[in-house]
Amino acid sequence: MNAVDLSGRVAVVTGGAQGIGLAVARRLLSSGASVAIWDIDQAAMTSALAELEPLGRVEAFTCDQSQIEAVDRAAIETERALGPVDLLVNNAGIAGPAATVVDYDPAAWRQIVDIDLNGVFYCCRRLVPGMIARNYGRIVNVASVAGKEGNPNAAAYSAAKAGVLALTKSLGKELASHDIAVNALTPSPARTRIL
Ligand SMILES: NC(=O)c1ccc[n+]([C@@H]2O[C@H](COP(=O)([O-])OP(=O)(O)OC[C@H]3O[C@@H](n4cnc5c(N)ncnc54)[C@H](O)[C@@H]3O)[C@@H](O)[C@H]2O)c1
């Protein structure tokens, strides 16, 4: 296994209670970082904490990332518990219903964009200023191959993930003069609850 020494670093993993985010949290802890999981699934957070606590310093905070106030509150709680945030993994997301564009429920469309795209913006806008002040940060946005290709019957998800890719590129350019890297991943299907 390749290893990066993240001792002394503080990481936030949104949607870290299960699936890809839980695997990321596990790996960050194994590399020495302290980790804060932000999620909405209380039961999954409880079992994630039980699994992760033997690996290092980990906290879990309830945070619906589609709510700007919830993100600001989770950031304050994280900074109080673990210190300033160096690493942000914007991983939380939902797929939403499968339907064609003409049949898509507008309320479902708005919810997907609120969580999958606007939530990433809310987390970045809250945590990037501290990274700039300390001239260090690493941000990884979990998008999807759907954002590159546009999946049929998943236009809301695809459009939100395409937005995440554009946000990643814009923010990366804005921060290019700092030691802050902004990258995105575009996974193809993995067997998690979202499917
Ligand atoms: N699994 C795949 O095939 C696949 C493929 C491409 C991209 N992705 C992306 O990977 C990321 C992780 O997905 P996963 O497969 O691990 O799914 P998952 O459903 O196992 O995990 C997603 C987590 O996000 C949390 N979450 C949902 N809404 C939230 C909200 N409003 N605020 C905070 N947390 C919230 C859930 O409670 C859950 O713990 C997502 O962004 C997803 O779009 C997954």
Side-chain angles (χ1 to χ4, degrees):
M1 181 172 99
N2 63 329
V4 178
D5 184 6
L6 297 177
S7 305
R9 298 295 184 195
V10 174
V12 166
V13 183
T14 68
Q18 60 202 310
I20 293 171
L22 176 58
V24 169
R26 200 182 293 129
R27 189 64 180 269
L28 288 168
L29 286 163
S30 301
S31 299
S34 304
V35 173
I37 287 169
W38 295 2
D39 208 295
I40 49 169
D41 187 330
Q42 300 290 342
M45 280 198 286
T46 301
S47 65
L49 275 184
E51 180 197 324
L52 295 174
E53 273 168 348
L55 301 178
R57 184 77 205 279
V58 57
E59 301 277 347
F61 300 104
T62 303
C63 174
D64 176 355
Q65 70 172 26
S66 68
Q67 304 299 314
I68 203 163
E69 305 79 11
V71 170
D72 290 347
R73 198 167 48 245
I76 289 168
E77 290 170 340
T78 298
E79 288 160 354
R80 195 178 292 143
L82 300 176
V85 176
D86 306 295
L87 318 170
L88 169 61
V89 183
N90 279 306
N91 162 80
I94 61 167
T100 63
V101 170
V102 291
D103 286 334
Y104 222 90
D105 173 14
W109 180 289
R110 281 191 292 272
Q111 187 194 27
I112 293 162
V113 173
D114 275 345
I115 295 173
D116 291 1
L117 176 58
N118 296 344
V120 177
F121 163 58
Y122 298 153
C123 292
C124 289
R125 74 180 280 283
R126 178 57 180 77
L127 294 177
V128 164
M131 295 178 182
I132 292 173
R134 295 183 303 282
N135 194 37
Y136 181 84
R138 298 289 181 264
I139 299 172
V140 177
N141 297 327
V142 182
S144 170
V145 72
K148 293 165 76 178
E149 304 301 336
N151 285 358
N153 302 310
Y157 180 74
S158 301
K161 293 298 189 178
V164 169
L165 294 176
L167 167 59
T168 302
K169 292 179 185 180
S170 296
L171 185 60
K173 288 169 186 166
E174 288 173 13
L175 298 174
S177 61
H178 301 275
D179 186 6
I180 303 174
V182 190
N183 288 285
L185 308 177
T186 59
S188 50
R191 201 182 300 275
T192 66
R193 193 188 59 167
I194 203 170
L195 291 183

PDB file of all heavy atoms in Angstrom, residues 31-59:
ATOM      1  N   SER A  31      -3.200   7.009   7.717  1.00  0.00           N
ATOM      2  CA  SER A  31      -2.068   7.841   7.301  1.00  0.00           C
ATOM      3  C   SER A  31      -1.719   8.890   8.355  1.00  0.00           C
ATOM      4  O   SER A  31      -0.861   9.739   8.121  1.00  0.00           O
ATOM      5  CB  SER A  31      -2.378   8.528   5.971  1.00  0.00           C
ATOM      6  OG  SER A  31      -2.609   7.562   4.973  1.00  0.00           O
ATOM      7  N   GLY A  32      -2.442   8.899   9.480  1.00  0.00           N
ATOM      8  CA  GLY A  32      -2.071   9.775  10.593  1.00  0.00           C
ATOM      9  C   GLY A  32      -2.911  11.013  10.771  1.00  0.00           C
ATOM     10  O   GLY A  32      -2.708  11.765  11.733  1.00  0.00           O
ATOM     11  N   ALA A  33      -3.851  11.277   9.861  1.00  0.00           N
ATOM     12  CA  ALA A  33      -4.688  12.470  10.000  1.00  0.00           C
ATOM     13  C   ALA A  33      -5.745  12.276  11.080  1.00  0.00           C
ATOM     14  O   ALA A  33      -6.150  11.146  11.378  1.00  0.00           O
ATOM     15  CB  ALA A  33      -5.369  12.788   8.669  1.00  0.00           C
ATOM     16  N   SER A  34      -6.216  13.387  11.667  1.00  0.00           N
ATOM     17  CA  SER A  34      -7.443  13.383  12.458  1.00  0.00           C
ATOM     18  C   SER A  34      -8.592  13.615  11.482  1.00  0.00           C
ATOM     19  O   SER A  34      -8.446  14.371  10.522  1.00  0.00           O
ATOM     20  CB  SER A  34      -7.444  14.503  13.499  1.00  0.00           C
ATOM     21  OG  SER A  34      -6.308  14.403  14.318  1.00  0.00           O
ATOM     22  N   VAL A  35      -9.724  12.979  11.761  1.00  0.00           N
ATOM     23  CA  VAL A  35     -10.814  13.004  10.774  1.00  0.00           C
ATOM     24  C   VAL A  35     -12.131  13.401  11.424  1.00  0.00           C
ATOM     25  O   VAL A  35     -12.491  12.885  12.487  1.00  0.00           O
ATOM     26  CB  VAL A  35     -10.965  11.620  10.098  1.00  0.00           C
ATOM     27  CG1 VAL A  35     -12.200  11.589   9.194  1.00  0.00           C
ATOM     28  CG2 VAL A  35      -9.715  11.280   9.294  1.00  0.00           C
ATOM     29  N   ALA A  36     -12.829  14.302  10.764  1.00  0.00           N
ATOM     30  CA  ALA A  36     -14.220  14.623  11.128  1.00  0.00           C
ATOM     31  C   ALA A  36     -15.124  14.148   9.999  1.00  0.00           C
ATOM     32  O   ALA A  36     -14.930  14.527   8.843  1.00  0.00           O
ATOM     33  CB  ALA A  36     -14.391  16.120  11.336  1.00  0.00           C
ATOM     34  N   ILE A  37     -16.075  13.306  10.363  1.00  0.00           N
ATOM     35  CA  ILE A  37     -17.092  12.863   9.414  1.00  0.00           C
ATOM     36  C   ILE A  37     -18.284  13.801   9.528  1.00  0.00           C
ATOM     37  O   ILE A  37     -18.765  14.059  10.632  1.00  0.00           O
ATOM     38  CB  ILE A  37     -17.531  11.420   9.762  1.00  0.00           C
ATOM     39  CG1 ILE A  37     -16.436  10.434   9.387  1.00  0.00           C
ATOM     40  CG2 ILE A  37     -18.834  11.054   9.082  1.00  0.00           C
ATOM     41  CD1 ILE A  37     -16.714   9.053   9.942  1.00  0.00           C
ATOM     42  N   TRP A  38     -18.744  14.294   8.385  1.00  0.00           N
ATOM     43  CA  TRP A  38     -19.983  15.079   8.360  1.00  0.00           C
ATOM     44  C   TRP A  38     -21.008  14.262   7.585  1.00  0.00           C
ATOM     45  O   TRP A  38     -20.774  13.925   6.421  1.00  0.00           O
ATOM     46  CB  TRP A  38     -19.782  16.414   7.652  1.00  0.00           C
ATOM     47  CG  TRP A  38     -18.837  17.369   8.326  1.00  0.00           C
ATOM     48  CD1 TRP A  38     -18.115  17.164   9.463  1.00  0.00           C
ATOM     49  CD2 TRP A  38     -18.518  18.696   7.883  1.00  0.00           C
ATOM     50  NE1 TRP A  38     -17.356  18.277   9.757  1.00  0.00           N
ATOM     51  CE2 TRP A  38     -17.581  19.232   8.807  1.00  0.00           C
ATOM     52  CE3 TRP A  38     -18.916  19.485   6.813  1.00  0.00           C
ATOM     53  CZ2 TRP A  38     -17.055  20.517   8.672  1.00  0.00           C
ATOM     54  CZ3 TRP A  38     -18.388  20.758   6.670  1.00  0.00           C
ATOM     55  CH2 TRP A  38     -17.471  21.277   7.596  1.00  0.00           C
ATOM     56  N   ASP A  39     -22.153  13.969   8.201  1.00  0.00           N
ATOM     57  CA  ASP A  39     -23.139  13.117   7.532  1.00  0.00           C
ATOM     58  C   ASP A  39     -24.511  13.377   8.155  1.00  0.00           C
ATOM     59  O   ASP A  39     -24.625  14.064   9.167  1.00  0.00           O
ATOM     60  CB  ASP A  39     -22.740  11.638   7.684  1.00  0.00           C
ATOM     61  CG  ASP A  39     -23.243  10.760   6.534  1.00  0.00           C
ATOM     62  OD1 ASP A  39     -24.481  10.611   6.386  1.00  0.00           O
ATOM     63  OD2 ASP A  39     -22.403  10.211   5.783  1.00  0.00           O
ATOM     64  N   ILE A  40     -25.539  12.818   7.521  1.00  0.00           N
ATOM     65  CA  ILE A  40     -26.903  12.949   8.054  1.00  0.00           C
ATOM     66  C   ILE A  40     -27.436  11.639   8.602  1.00  0.00           C
ATOM     67  O   ILE A  40     -28.495  11.616   9.215  1.00  0.00           O
ATOM     68  CB  ILE A  40     -27.897  13.468   6.984  1.00  0.00           C
ATOM     69  CG1 ILE A  40     -27.762  12.678   5.683  1.00  0.00           C
ATOM     70  CG2 ILE A  40     -27.736  14.943   6.751  1.00  0.00           C
ATOM     71  CD1 ILE A  40     -28.875  12.944   4.693  1.00  0.00           C
ATOM     72  N   ASP A  41     -26.741  10.540   8.373  1.00  0.00           N
ATOM     73  CA  ASP A  41     -27.245   9.215   8.761  1.00  0.00           C
ATOM     74  C   ASP A  41     -26.680   8.846  10.143  1.00  0.00           C
ATOM     75  O   ASP A  41     -25.547   8.384  10.262  1.00  0.00           O
ATOM     76  CB  ASP A  41     -26.819   8.195   7.700  1.00  0.00           C
ATOM     77  CG  ASP A  41     -27.440   6.817   7.929  1.00  0.00           C
ATOM     78  OD1 ASP A  41     -27.693   6.459   9.092  1.00  0.00           O
ATOM     79  OD2 ASP A  41     -27.649   6.108   6.934  1.00  0.00           O
ATOM     80  N   GLN A  42     -27.510   9.062  11.174  1.00  0.00           N
ATOM     81  CA  GLN A  42     -27.039   8.881  12.557  1.00  0.00           C
ATOM     82  C   GLN A  42     -26.588   7.444  12.821  1.00  0.00           C
ATOM     83  O   GLN A  42     -25.547   7.220  13.439  1.00  0.00           O
ATOM     84  CB  GLN A  42     -28.165   9.223  13.547  1.00  0.00           C
ATOM     85  CG  GLN A  42     -28.673  10.643  13.457  1.00  0.00           C
ATOM     86  CD  GLN A  42     -27.653  11.659  13.957  1.00  0.00           C
ATOM     87  OE1 GLN A  42     -26.723  11.300  14.667  1.00  0.00           O
ATOM     88  NE2 GLN A  42     -27.809  12.904  13.564  1.00  0.00           N
ATOM     89  N   ALA A  43     -27.390   6.485  12.376  1.00  0.00           N
ATOM     90  CA  ALA A  43     -27.060   5.082  12.648  1.00  0.00           C
ATOM     91  C   ALA A  43     -25.744   4.705  11.980  1.00  0.00           C
ATOM     92  O   ALA A  43     -24.880   4.044  12.585  1.00  0.00           O
ATOM     93  CB  ALA A  43     -28.187   4.176  12.159  1.00  0.00           C
ATOM     94  N   ALA A  44     -25.573   5.139  10.741  1.00  0.00           N
ATOM     95  CA  ALA A  44     -24.320   4.821  10.031  1.00  0.00           C
ATOM     96  C   ALA A  44     -23.139   5.523  10.686  1.00  0.00           C
ATOM     97  O   ALA A  44     -22.037   4.951  10.759  1.00  0.00           O
ATOM     98  CB  ALA A  44     -24.444   5.224   8.563  1.00  0.00           C
ATOM     99  N   MET A  45     -23.349   6.744  11.185  1.00  0.00           N
ATOM    100  CA  MET A  45     -22.251   7.454  11.854  1.00  0.00           C
ATOM    101  C   MET A  45     -21.819   6.720  13.117  1.00  0.00           C
ATOM    102  O   MET A  45     -20.629   6.620  13.414  1.00  0.00           O
ATOM    103  CB  MET A  45     -22.659   8.897  12.191  1.00  0.00           C
ATOM    104  CG  MET A  45     -22.562   9.827  10.997  1.00  0.00           C
ATOM    105  SD  MET A  45     -22.538  11.571  11.461  1.00  0.00           S
ATOM    106  CE  MET A  45     -24.227  11.820  11.902  1.00  0.00           C
ATOM    107  N   THR A  46     -22.806   6.199  13.863  1.00  0.00           N
ATOM    108  CA  THR A  46     -22.483   5.477  15.098  1.00  0.00           C
ATOM    109  C   THR A  46     -21.644   4.237  14.791  1.00  0.00           C
ATOM    110  O   THR A  46     -20.621   3.985  15.442  1.00  0.00           O
ATOM    111  CB  THR A  46     -23.785   5.079  15.828  1.00  0.00           C
ATOM    112  OG1 THR A  46     -24.509   6.279  16.107  1.00  0.00           O
ATOM    113  CG2 THR A  46     -23.501   4.348  17.120  1.00  0.00           C
ATOM    114  N   SER A  47     -22.046   3.461  13.773  1.00  0.00           N
ATOM    115  CA  SER A  47     -21.261   2.255  13.489  1.00  0.00           C
ATOM    116  C   SER A  47     -19.924   2.613  12.841  1.00  0.00           C
ATOM    117  O   SER A  47     -18.916   1.933  13.064  1.00  0.00           O
ATOM    118  CB  SER A  47     -22.057   1.244  12.668  1.00  0.00           C
ATOM    119  OG  SER A  47     -22.339   1.758  11.414  1.00  0.00           O
ATOM    120  N   ALA A  48     -19.877   3.712  12.060  1.00  0.00           N
ATOM    121  CA  ALA A  48     -18.593   4.138  11.489  1.00  0.00           C
ATOM    122  C   ALA A  48     -17.613   4.528  12.593  1.00  0.00           C
ATOM    123  O   ALA A  48     -16.433   4.147  12.562  1.00  0.00           O
ATOM    124  CB  ALA A  48     -18.805   5.310  10.533  1.00  0.00           C
ATOM    125  N   LEU A  49     -18.113   5.271  13.596  1.00  0.00           N
ATOM    126  CA  LEU A  49     -17.238   5.677  14.701  1.00  0.00           C
ATOM    127  C   LEU A  49     -16.677   4.454  15.425  1.00  0.00           C
ATOM    128  O   LEU A  49     -15.488   4.409  15.760  1.00  0.00           O
ATOM    129  CB  LEU A  49     -18.009   6.551  15.694  1.00  0.00           C
ATOM    130  CG  LEU A  49     -18.094   8.043  15.391  1.00  0.00           C
ATOM    131  CD1 LEU A  49     -18.818   8.769  16.523  1.00  0.00           C
ATOM    132  CD2 LEU A  49     -16.716   8.650  15.166  1.00  0.00           C
ATOM    133  N   ALA A  50     -17.544   3.456  15.652  1.00  0.00           N
ATOM    134  CA  ALA A  50     -17.085   2.245  16.356  1.00  0.00           C
ATOM    135  C   ALA A  50     -15.971   1.567  15.563  1.00  0.00           C
ATOM    136  O   ALA A  50     -15.006   1.054  16.137  1.00  0.00           O
ATOM    137  CB  ALA A  50     -18.260   1.289  16.559  1.00  0.00           C
ATOM    138  N   GLU A  51     -16.100   1.595  14.240  1.00  0.00           N
ATOM    139  CA  GLU A  51     -15.071   0.952  13.410  1.00  0.00           C
ATOM    140  C   GLU A  51     -13.785   1.783  13.335  1.00  0.00           C
ATOM    141  O   GLU A  51     -12.681   1.245  13.316  1.00  0.00           O
ATOM    142  CB  GLU A  51     -15.623   0.746  11.990  1.00  0.00           C
ATOM    143  CG  GLU A  51     -14.604   0.074  11.079  1.00  0.00           C
ATOM    144  CD  GLU A  51     -14.929   0.216   9.592  1.00  0.00           C
ATOM    145  OE1 GLU A  51     -16.116   0.192   9.227  1.00  0.00           O
ATOM    146  OE2 GLU A  51     -13.961   0.344   8.809  1.00  0.00           O
ATOM    147  N   LEU A  52     -13.948   3.113  13.293  1.00  0.00           N
ATOM    148  CA  LEU A  52     -12.798   3.986  13.011  1.00  0.00           C
ATOM    149  C   LEU A  52     -12.002   4.374  14.257  1.00  0.00           C
ATOM    150  O   LEU A  52     -10.800   4.654  14.160  1.00  0.00           O
ATOM    151  CB  LEU A  52     -13.276   5.254  12.300  1.00  0.00           C
ATOM    152  CG  LEU A  52     -13.887   5.065  10.909  1.00  0.00           C
ATOM    153  CD1 LEU A  52     -14.446   6.385  10.387  1.00  0.00           C
ATOM    154  CD2 LEU A  52     -12.854   4.498   9.929  1.00  0.00           C
ATOM    155  N   GLU A  53     -12.664   4.408  15.416  1.00  0.00           N
ATOM    156  CA  GLU A  53     -11.977   4.935  16.608  1.00  0.00           C
ATOM    157  C   GLU A  53     -10.676   4.206  16.945  1.00  0.00           C
ATOM    158  O   GLU A  53      -9.709   4.863  17.367  1.00  0.00           O
ATOM    159  CB  GLU A  53     -12.943   4.971  17.801  1.00  0.00           C
ATOM    160  CG  GLU A  53     -13.726   6.271  17.806  1.00  0.00           C
ATOM    161  CD  GLU A  53     -14.914   6.307  18.758  1.00  0.00           C
ATOM    162  OE1 GLU A  53     -15.304   5.246  19.288  1.00  0.00           O
ATOM    163  OE2 GLU A  53     -15.458   7.407  18.948  1.00  0.00           O
ATOM    164  N   PRO A  54     -10.584   2.885  16.733  1.00  0.00           N
ATOM    165  CA  PRO A  54      -9.298   2.232  17.002  1.00  0.00           C
ATOM    166  C   PRO A  54      -8.164   2.711  16.088  1.00  0.00           C
ATOM    167  O   PRO A  54      -6.987   2.496  16.390  1.00  0.00           O
ATOM    168  CB  PRO A  54      -9.598   0.743  16.762  1.00  0.00           C
ATOM    169  CG  PRO A  54     -11.072   0.616  16.892  1.00  0.00           C
ATOM    170  CD  PRO A  54     -11.640   1.914  16.413  1.00  0.00           C
ATOM    171  N   LEU A  55      -8.506   3.369  14.969  1.00  0.00           N
ATOM    172  CA  LEU A  55      -7.477   3.763  13.994  1.00  0.00           C
ATOM    173  C   LEU A  55      -6.860   5.121  14.300  1.00  0.00           C
ATOM    174  O   LEU A  55      -5.815   5.468  13.741  1.00  0.00           O
ATOM    175  CB  LEU A  55      -8.070   3.792  12.579  1.00  0.00           C
ATOM    176  CG  LEU A  55      -8.658   2.482  12.053  1.00  0.00           C
ATOM    177  CD1 LEU A  55      -9.242   2.685  10.658  1.00  0.00           C
ATOM    178  CD2 LEU A  55      -7.577   1.402  12.031  1.00  0.00           C
ATOM    179  N   GLY A  56      -7.547   5.961  15.126  1.00  0.00           N
ATOM    180  CA  GLY A  56      -7.000   7.292  15.395  1.00  0.00           C
ATOM    181  C   GLY A  56      -8.059   8.234  15.902  1.00  0.00           C
ATOM    182  O   GLY A  56      -9.127   7.825  16.360  1.00  0.00           O
ATOM    183  N   ARG A  57      -7.762   9.538  15.794  1.00  0.00           N
ATOM    184  CA  ARG A  57      -8.647  10.580  16.325  1.00  0.00           C
ATOM    185  C   ARG A  57      -9.752  10.870  15.314  1.00  0.00           C
ATOM    186  O   ARG A  57      -9.479  11.387  14.222  1.00  0.00           O
ATOM    187  CB  ARG A  57      -7.804  11.841  16.599  1.00  0.00           C
ATOM    188  CG  ARG A  57      -8.554  12.972  17.241  1.00  0.00           C
ATOM    189  CD  ARG A  57      -8.761  12.733  18.727  1.00  0.00           C
ATOM    190  NE  ARG A  57      -9.931  13.459  19.218  1.00  0.00           N
ATOM    191  CZ  ARG A  57      -9.951  14.751  19.538  1.00  0.00           C
ATOM    192  NH1 ARG A  57      -8.847  15.454  19.442  1.00  0.00           N
ATOM    193  NH2 ARG A  57     -11.057  15.331  19.957  1.00  0.00           N
ATOM    194  N   VAL A  58     -10.972  10.540  15.672  1.00  0.00           N
ATOM    195  CA  VAL A  58     -12.086  10.723  14.741  1.00  0.00           C
ATOM    196  C   VAL A  58     -13.311  11.243  15.489  1.00  0.00           C
ATOM    197  O   VAL A  58     -13.567  10.846  16.625  1.00  0.00           O
ATOM    198  CB  VAL A  58     -12.405   9.401  13.986  1.00  0.00           C
ATOM    199  CG1 VAL A  58     -12.710   8.260  14.928  1.00  0.00           C
ATOM    200  CG2 VAL A  58     -13.535   9.588  12.977  1.00  0.00           C
ATOM    201  N   GLU A  59     -14.030  12.166  14.849  1.00  0.00           N
ATOM    202  CA  GLU A  59     -15.266  12.712  15.397  1.00  0.00           C
ATOM    203  C   GLU A  59     -16.325  12.649  14.303  1.00  0.00           C
ATOM    204  O   GLU A  59     -15.997  12.615  13.108  1.00  0.00           O
ATOM    205  CB  GLU A  59     -15.080  14.185  15.798  1.00  0.00           C
ATOM    206  CG  GLU A  59     -14.001  14.437  16.832  1.00  0.00           C
ATOM    207  CD  GLU A  59     -14.473  14.200  18.256  1.00  0.00           C
ATOM    208  OE1 GLU A  59     -15.709  14.084  18.461  1.00  0.00           O
ATOM    209  OE2 GLU A  59     -13.616  14.144  19.151  1.00  0.00           O
TER     210      GLU A  59
END
